[in-house]
Amino acid sequence: MKHFTSIKQLGDLKDALAAAAAVKANRFADQELGKNKTALLVFFNNSLRTRLSTQKAAQNLGMNVIVLDVNQGAWKLETGHGVVMDGDKSEHLLEAIPVMGCYCDVIGIRSFARFESRDDDYNEVILNQFIQYSGRPVFSMEAATRHPLQTFADIITIEEHKTKARPKVVMTWAPHPKALPQAVPNSFAEGMSMTDYEFVIANPEGYDLAPEFVGNAKVTHNQDEALAGADFVYAKNWAPYQADIYGKVVNYDMGWTVTKEKMALTNDAFFMHCLPVRRNMIVTDEVIESPRSLVIPEAANREISAQTVLKMLLQSL
Ligand code: CP
């Protein structure tokens, strides 16, 4: 694997899950692999889980880790081409990227959708510039359109908790006060297309995801109908993909919050969310605190997904 920007780059999912299980069984088995290798983790946006789990994963592999918060302590970076740099940005990304590449062996990038241009977001302009100009293997720590380390951790978690070969997994939109990117739901849908689970997406009208990510999934605008018989409920907010309302909050319907009453429609489903989560917007306290909530095991598996991917990248150096 040269770069990791999509869950599909894992190749055969069963093999990837077996590799993840081996990592989980012995996290320190590959310390020699990362010896004298450096992972640079570049954050354009905030993070708790990705920052900690990816550092831990790299350290488990014997790697050195450098973390750069672009907006705290580094020069402000210009990203537009042809811009006359007479403002507050002191350095251009096109010099900064190859410089960063000089100091590391692999680079992780977190760069969210900016909601300024749907084309720029969906062309992954920042992530692709790192791939083009860093000279290093690049892995996504959540980019504009995908969050594959999260999705891999989510699938590991479902595999660890499913009690039937083909569980029903429902990804439901839920309300949030701010416009959030589509990266997590896009990526989760992409990951579900690699499984043989029954997968249903429930969202209000105007909130359908990009067709390339929906694929063959069933989409409904009726949340109750979707939740009936679900084994796993994956809640997430996302802003509209639809061109005329792209990245705007046009629905604040608290009727989509995942409540105890909503969960009663399911097959005693597990509740999942990638975190951070807005309690009593996305999900009520009693659901997220219930014994069926998997939010902490999901987060714990971020270390495993990151370590499995880093191991694959190191093996390809
Ligand atoms: N789920 C996730 O990526 O969390 P952070 O934004 O805290 O990294």
Side-chain angles (χ1 to χ4, degrees):
M1 188 165 57
K2 181 91 170 87
H3 303 286
F4 180 70
T5 61
S6 158
I7 184 84
K8 291 198 166 170
Q9 288 158 337
L10 287 176
D12 183 84
L13 184 60
K14 282 197 173 65
D15 289 348
L17 288 166
V23 163
K24 195 161 184 171
N26 187 355
R27 292 166 209 230
F28 306 107
D30 300 297
Q31 289 253 316
E32 281 301 310
L33 191 61
K35 192 176 173 190
N36 297 329
K37 298 282 190 297
T38 298
L40 171 61
L41 311 182
V42 181
F43 289 89
F44 288 84
N45 307 98
N46 294 340
S47 166
L48 188 153
R49 277 143 293 275
T50 305
R51 174 185 301 264
L52 298 181
S53 63
T54 311
Q55 285 189 63
K56 179 69 165 61
Q59 288 163 353
N60 291 350
L61 289 164
M63 301 184 80
N64 302 311
V65 184
I66 305 172
V67 179
L68 178 68
D69 288 297
V70 170
N71 297 319
Q72 289 170 21
W75 300 112
K76 279 194 178 176
L77 294 176
E78 177 57 61
T79 57
H81 205 241
V83 173
V84 176
M85 289 174 57
D86 59 355
D88 65 340
K89 292 175 179 162
S90 305
E91 180 156 22
H92 201 284
L93 196 61
L94 294 181
E95 283 79 57
I97 290 174
V99 168
M100 292 184 213
C102 295
Y103 307 139
C104 64
D105 298 281
V106 296
I107 304 186
I109 305 298
R110 165 159 287 203
S111 177
F112 291 170
R114 297 178 174 189
F115 290 143
E116 290 165 5
S117 154
R118 191 173 80 165
D119 284 347
D120 282 358
D121 289 343
Y122 274 71
N123 286 327
E124 292 286 8
V125 169
I126 303 291
L127 187 67
N128 283 327
Q129 285 184 333
F130 274 89
I131 289 172
Q132 193 173 353
Y133 299 115
S134 71
R136 300 295 176 205
V138 171
F139 64 98
S140 167
M141 300 193 297
E142 185 172 345
T145 62
R146 293 176 176 86
H147 194 356
L149 288 176
Q150 180 66 51
T151 303
F152 191 18
D154 294 336
I155 296 176
I156 293 167
T157 308
I158 293 173
E159 286 293 307
E160 289 174 341
H161 290 85
K162 72 180 188 183
T163 55
K164 57 174 82 153
R166 191 166 181 267
K168 179 176 178 181
V169 179
V170 176
M171 179 170 72
T172 180
W173 181 94
H176 193 282
K178 293 186 174 174
L180 298 188
Q182 294 110 23
V184 168
N186 283 346
S187 206
F188 190 73
E190 195 166 55
M192 290 298 99
S193 75
M194 296 168 69
T195 72
D196 54 7
Y197 308 156
E198 179 185 352
F199 179 53
V200 179
I201 305 173
N203 56 259
E205 289 186 24
Y207 279 77
D208 290 357
L209 295 169
E212 74 208 69
F213 290 104
V214 171
N216 295 324
K218 181 179 174 191
V219 178
T220 174
H221 300 145
N222 183 330
Q223 189 190 45
D224 288 1
E225 177 191 285
L227 292 175
D231 299 299
F232 292 86
V233 175
Y234 193 97
K236 186 71 185 81
N237 175 270
W238 61 88
Y241 170 75
Q242 193 174 298
D244 56 332
I245 51 173
Y246 178 69
K248 296 181 168 48
V249 176
V250 295
N251 189 323
Y252 204 84
D253 184 354
M254 297 292 282
W256 282 74
T257 301
V258 179
T259 61
K260 190 175 74 169
E261 291 71 29
K262 295 277 185 183
M263 292 300 282
L265 301 171
T266 71
N267 180 30
D268 195 20
F270 287 106
F271 174 80
M272 300 181 72
H273 189 281
C274 62
L275 304 180
V277 70
R278 298 253 183 165
R279 282 176 174 230
N280 304 307
M281 290 288 308
I282 300 277
V283 58
T284 60
D285 291 331
E286 56 192 349
V287 171
I288 198 167
E289 291 174 11
S290 83
R292 303 301 280 175
S293 173
L294 294 180
V295 295
I296 306 304
E298 264 180 282
N301 277 331
R302 289 294 307 276
E303 178 184 343
I304 305 306
S305 65
Q307 189 169 336
T308 307
V309 167
L310 278 170
K311 182 177 167 181
M312 291 176 184
L313 290 173
L314 287 172
Q315 286 168 332
S316 301
L317 284 178

